[in-house]
Amino acid sequence: MSIELAQCFIAVDDHDKALAFYRDVLGLEVRNDVRFEGMRWVTVGSPEQPGVEIVLEPPLADPHACEDDRRAAAELLAKGLLRGVIFRTDDCDATFERIRAAGAEVLQEPMDQPYGVRDCAFRDPAGNMLRFNQPRTPK
């Protein structure tokens, strides 16, 4: 029996802006673009990980959520308080320079962390924090 990560979710308020970032800046491939009952879901993923997708979904896409909860989720997203994902890279500094050069909002420049990675962080166009880490080799 095996268990593997297949999908994770990131709330976005504008799918076209999100696609310009995730596809054009990060280089992820678009795997699906679905519209259903006034909502939209776009799945993207790394060509190196064909079995793992990030679903870019509206804030609180649950069809049973009440309007107050939808508004609260949209407000948290606007404040940048929702968590994003952590990407692994083989060159944190080069990844940082490429994303910064594309105009992404920098949250943290590359730095060595005491838990064994060198990482940096950005906000996506919706305000989600994305981290990019590279495992450090033992000295």
Side-chain angles (χ1 to χ4, degrees):
M1 180 180 94
S2 68
I3 297 176
E4 298 177 346
L5 176 65
Q7 295 178 321
C8 63
F9 296 83
I10 294 179
V12 299
D13 55 356
D14 184 321
H15 282 86
D16 293 325
K17 285 182 182 177
L19 271 175
F21 180 77
Y22 286 91
R23 179 191 57 215
D24 303 337
V25 175
L26 300 186
L28 301 181
E29 59 188 22
V30 177
R31 299 199 179 138
N32 212 342
D33 190 340
V34 177
R35 294 171 195 265
F36 181 72
E37 295 186 359
M39 291 190 276
R40 183 180 180 194
W41 291 265
V42 178
T43 57
V44 295
S46 169
E48 287 82 30
Q49 289 183 300
V52 179
E53 297 178 326
I54 297 170
V55 182
L56 305 174
E57 65 173 359
L60 201 56
D62 183 342
H64 305 293
C66 69
E67 191 54 39
D68 286 345
D69 290 344
R70 289 184 197 284
R71 189 175 25 261
E75 289 172 2
L76 291 173
L77 177 62
K79 292 178 181 177
L81 295 176
L82 299 181
R83 304 293 288 187
V85 297
I86 299 174
F87 292 93
R88 172 90 18 111
T89 177
D90 61 355
D91 190 333
C92 181
D93 294 276
T95 299
F96 175 80
E97 290 304 329
R98 183 171 54 84
I99 297 171
R100 179 169 67 178
E105 181 184 351
V106 175
L107 293 178
Q108 177 203 300
E109 295 197 8
M111 62 184 296
D112 292 337
Q113 300 290 355
Y115 42 89
V117 299
R118 181 168 180 77
D119 73 353
C120 61
F122 292 90
R123 285 209 192 282
D124 75 2
N128 298 294
M129 180 176 65
L130 306 177
R131 301 191 75 82
F132 298 84
N133 76 34
Q134 173 187 359
R136 288 188 312 179
T137 55
K139 294 180 182 176

